[in-house]
Amino acid sequence: MIAGRAQFFGEDHSIEEEEEETFTEEESEETFDETWIEWYCALRGSEFYCEVLPDFIDDGFNLTGLEREVVNFRKALREILDREGGDDDREYNMVNDETAKLYQLIHARYILTTAGMKSMKKKFEYGDFGDCPNVRCEKFHLLPFGQTSEHGKSGVLLYCPSCEDLFVPQNKRIQQIDGAAFGPTFAHLFLMQFPNILKNIGKKKHVQT
């Protein structure tokens, strides 16, 4: 069980916050050959999400109970799977809140599967979730952590497998990511699935002593 008080990145070791950008209407429109999932995961502020395979979403068993969590569940599901309207209507200019909520809840389940774990491992290895600001951790990569599986309760935190501390992301866009998109069990199960990550920590600490 991961527990602890979340900390803010210190000034000396903070990740630089990205500057605000403005987009014209032409720049915000995507080509029709891009799926909603690809578009959503490529948005700034969505860097922590992996792309959930459509086959996983198509399996109704994987979505059990979510229809009670999301308003207009069927409409949101069709939008995620690009089944809402024809190609002429596919202009991704803004994110529907309920569609995003559904994707985040599906995402939390998907990343606990073998395929989802592999996708998140790639992001972890690339350092997509940032590095630990603790000097002793030598920029060890962080993992996303949600305090609860209930949507709308808290933002995502960052967990360091090395020092086992929790941190609040400095980037304001990342702070807006709902912690329920990852949940409280992902980081723990991820480290169980890939034990070599913890072995590498042990080697580093042994060398330092």
Side-chain angles (χ1 to χ4, degrees):
M1 180 69 67
I2 297 171
R5 180 175 298 176
Q7 307 174 43
F8 283 91
F9 284 116
E11 293 181 358
D12 294 336
H13 311 290
S14 62
I15 298 175
E16 292 295 331
E17 186 172 336
E18 298 173 352
E19 296 181 357
E20 295 288 335
E21 289 187 2
T22 57
F23 298 92
T24 63
E25 183 176 352
E26 290 78 8
E27 290 173 326
S28 65
E29 295 178 1
E30 302 295 339
T31 57
F32 296 156
D33 59 352
E34 183 178 47
T35 67
W36 185 93
I37 294 174
E38 292 170 338
W39 170 79
Y40 181 67
C41 291
L43 291 175
R44 294 187 65 184
S46 294
E47 294 89 344
F48 281 14
Y49 302 125
C50 68
E51 294 183 11
V52 179
L53 294 176
D55 287 347
F56 179 86
I57 303 175
D58 257 333
D59 188 338
F61 178 79
N62 296 326
L63 311 184
T64 301
L66 295 185
E67 65 275 6
R68 296 191 296 271
E69 302 288 333
V70 178
V71 178
N72 295 324
F73 170 81
R74 294 297 173 188
K75 184 177 187 299
L77 182 60
R78 289 195 300 269
E79 185 173 0
I80 290 173
L81 294 173
D82 299 296
R83 296 170 185 168
E84 184 67 16
D87 284 347
D88 291 341
D89 298 324
R90 285 180 57 189
E91 292 183 358
Y92 304 133
N93 294 321
M94 60 183 297
V95 179
N96 180 287
D97 289 343
E98 291 301 311
T99 304
K101 178 181 179 179
L102 177 58
Y103 185 80
Q104 291 161 15
L105 293 174
I106 293 172
H107 183 273
R109 298 182 178 189
Y110 177 71
I111 60 176
L112 300 182
T113 68
T114 300
M117 286 276 184
K118 288 181 179 178
S119 294
M120 294 297 281
K121 186 172 186 286
K122 289 181 180 179
K123 297 180 73 65
F124 172 78
E125 291 173 340
Y126 290 150
D128 287 357
F129 309 122
D131 302 324
C132 183
N134 190 329
V135 177
R136 293 185 178 181
C137 293
E138 299 180 346
K139 295 186 177 181
F140 203 90
H141 293 334
L142 299 167
L143 285 168
F145 175 80
Q147 293 177 289
T148 176
S149 297
E150 190 173 351
H151 197 277
K153 293 298 183 181
S154 61
V156 67
L157 298 176
L158 298 170
Y159 172 72
C160 176
S162 179
C163 64
E164 300 184 338
D165 280 338
L166 289 171
F167 301 92
V168 176
Q170 186 190 33
N171 187 291
K172 291 182 179 179
R173 287 192 182 90
I174 300 300
Q175 289 178 15
Q176 299 305 310
I177 295 178
D178 200 291
F182 304 93
T185 61
F186 164 71
H188 177 66
L189 294 176
F190 180 86
L191 295 173
M192 290 180 62
Q193 181 71 21
F194 305 109
N196 285 337
I197 293 174
L198 295 177
K199 289 181 180 178
N200 291 335
I201 294 174
K203 290 179 181 179
K204 280 189 175 183
K205 290 184 177 180
H206 180 72
V207 171
Q208 290 175 355
T209 56

